[in-house]
Amino acid sequence: MRIAVVVGARPQFVKAAPVLKTLIARGHDAVQVHTGQHYDYEMSEVFFRDLGIPEPDHNLAVGSASHGRQTGEMLIALEPILEAAAPAWTLVFGDTNSTLAGALAACKLQLRVAHIEAGLRSFNRAMPEEHNRRLTDHCSDLLFCPSQTAVDNLRAEAITAGVHLVGDTMLDAILLCRDIARARSTILHDLAVSAGDYLLATIHRPYNTDDPARLAVLLDALAETGATVVVPVHPRTRQAIQAWPGLASGNLRLIDPVGYLDMLALLQNARAVMTDSGGLQKEAVFLGTRCVTLRPETEWVETIETGWNRLGGDSVKSILTALDEVLGNEPTEKPSYGDGTAAARIVDILTGELPQHVV
Ligand code: UD1
């Protein structure tokens, strides 16, 4: 069966990898389209190498632009490719502009769309990701949910047909790569840090980076932890951070973005992670590392309910309190995001549910 896989931004390479590997192993024709939303080596190519997935069949090289222009250019470039490929399914992942463009392009060609990581909601309409995930869910034929909360969110919007609770393909990816990261990554040695003696932090959401006062609060909080804080800096944050008065502060280790294997190594050995990333919150829990989320809310509510994660709030004090609290906790239970076989379930459903004439 021919299946189009649309990716474009860093977390999508991780979410798609286990699905691509399963499709290829079962002899399906996976047509991989990279929109080019992320294009720097350390934001894109390194992930293909680390995850052991083939180079994309098409790269649309759309690059950076305003949301409308970026999404529109993807849509224009995707249409002829999907039309020519005529896939039985078009797969889209998560909540980026590439997700929405892939879903819309397929849907307008009357091709069937499957959304992986469906049903997540922050209930914050100021986030571009919230528009992307809501719109994508509403034009998808199959909706693969990582959690029961996601299934419930869809039901509240009257979406019940085609919904499947399969677990999280990010857990599949960790199980595939955790041991490889342990064996191959030299990042702890390169940074001269050792297990348990540093914090890891990432900041990239526009909500945090585009308001200098808010960004300063987050960076001040990291500085005031007094610990060595390893901060792989996203390109969006690189410029914004220059204006922060504490830039010379001794305990922050600002480094370029890291690949997947290095990130797993940093995560599994950190005392805790402080992040506004959606993926890292879960990946931390999967690897047994506690997390402070640098946002007013999270889609991954189970990580909070089980005591692995805390919301940092709006002040230096509240962020430091959240860190103390989460480190003082000894969570006993892990949130349920499946058993690491989400990709196999997804491919079973994609290939088994189709009427014979479409296969
Ligand atoms: C996007 C996603 C977000 C996801 C994140 C992961 C949307 C709306 N947001 O945010 O959900 O969590 O990816 O990283 O799709 N840039 C580079 N090099 C690159 C990529 C980007 O320099 O390889 C710069 C661009 O100039 C741009 C900025 O980074 O100004 C942001 O890139 P963009 O793709 O717009 O969104 P992200 O913030 O990465």
Side-chain angles (χ1 to χ4, degrees):
M1 183 185 289
R2 178 171 298 150
I3 296 187
V5 175
V6 180
V7 292
R10 189 166 58 170
Q12 290 166 330
F13 312 135
V14 180
K15 290 170 196 177
V19 181
L20 266 170
K21 282 175 185 268
T22 308
L23 286 172
I24 294 165
R26 295 194 191 174
H28 295 292
D29 178 13
V31 179
Q32 198 193 163
V33 187
H34 187 326
T35 63
Q37 177 169 354
H38 287 173
Y39 43 89
D40 288 342
Y41 172 80
E42 65 270 18
M43 296 291 287
S44 176
E45 201 179 321
V46 66
F47 284 82
F48 288 79
R49 202 194 60 197
D50 281 2
L51 289 155
I53 50 175
E55 293 294 308
D57 301 287
H58 303 272
N59 192 322
L60 312 182
V62 162
S64 307
S66 65
H67 285 284
R69 177 173 289 274
Q70 189 181 54
T71 312
E73 285 182 1
M74 289 174 192
L75 201 49
I76 293 166
L78 276 164
E79 189 170 62
I81 292 171
L82 291 179
E83 196 165 24
W89 288 103
T90 299
L91 309 190
V92 296
F93 301 81
D95 55 18
T96 75
N97 292 339
S98 300
T99 316
L100 178 60
L104 258 185
C107 168
K108 288 199 173 283
L109 289 166
Q110 304 204 5
L111 295 169
R112 289 199 270 193
V113 181
H115 185 201
I116 290 159
E117 205 182 89
L120 273 286
R121 296 290 181 267
S122 66
F123 303 100
N124 176 355
R125 294 286 298 266
M127 287 178 75
E129 293 82 359
E130 186 74 356
H131 315 148
N132 290 339
R133 52 173 90 98
R134 279 179 187 263
L135 292 166
T136 301
D137 282 341
H138 281 264
C139 70
S140 291
D141 301 280
L142 280 176
L143 301 100
F144 293 115
C145 295
S147 64
Q148 184 59 44
T149 307
V151 174
D152 297 342
N153 288 338
L154 291 174
R155 190 177 306 117
E157 293 173 26
I159 303 176
T160 51
V163 175
H164 297 268
L165 175 57
V166 292
D168 192 340
T169 64
M170 279 191 137
L171 175 56
D172 300 23
I174 288 213
L175 298 179
L176 286 171
C177 296
R178 185 175 50 186
D179 294 340
I180 304 173
R182 264 195 207 111
R184 285 207 211 139
S185 173
T186 59
I187 187 106
L188 267 69
H189 176 262
D190 299 345
L191 294 172
V193 292
S194 39
D197 78 354
Y198 65 93
L199 298 167
L200 176 66
T202 74
I203 302 168
H204 79 278
R205 299 274 171 196
Y207 162 79
N208 285 329
T209 57
D210 296 1
D211 171 0
R214 168 85 190 155
L215 183 62
V217 166
L218 301 183
L219 295 170
D220 288 345
L222 299 183
E224 286 195 26
T225 60
T228 299
V229 189
V230 175
V231 192
V233 184
H234 186 281
R236 172 187 288 290
T237 319
R238 200 180 294 144
Q239 279 298 104
I241 222 168
Q242 299 304 326
W244 179 54
L247 199 59
S249 150
N251 61 325
L252 265 56
R253 305 280 298 275
L254 306 177
I255 60 171
D256 284 339
V258 295
Y260 185 61
L261 297 179
D262 285 341
M263 186 52 101
L264 291 189
L266 283 172
L267 251 182
Q268 59 193 340
N269 290 296
R271 195 185 315 153
V273 60
M274 303 172 80
T275 186
D276 61 6
S277 156
L280 275 186
Q281 293 171 48
K282 289 174 298 172
E283 288 171 326
V285 179
F286 295 151
L287 292 168
T289 300
R290 277 161 276 182
C291 180
V292 173
T293 293
L294 303 172
R295 280 177 46 198
E297 75 282 303
T298 177
E299 301 79 19
W300 304 103
V301 290
E302 303 82 1
T303 61
I304 305 267
E305 289 161 3
T306 50
W308 287 91
N309 191 5
R310 281 273 192 285
L311 296 178
D314 284 330
S315 67
V316 171
K317 188 162 178 275
S318 66
I319 294 169
L320 294 176
T321 303
L323 180 63
D324 278 348
E325 282 177 5
V326 86
L327 285 173
N329 247 0
E330 284 300 334
T332 48
E333 193 198 337
K334 291 224 175 158
S336 172
Y337 295 125
D339 58 4
T341 61
R345 286 165 200 244
I346 288 167
V347 175
D348 285 347
I349 294 165
L350 288 171
T351 52
E353 276 200 357
L354 278 175
Q356 207 52 41
H357 69 275
V358 190
V359 178

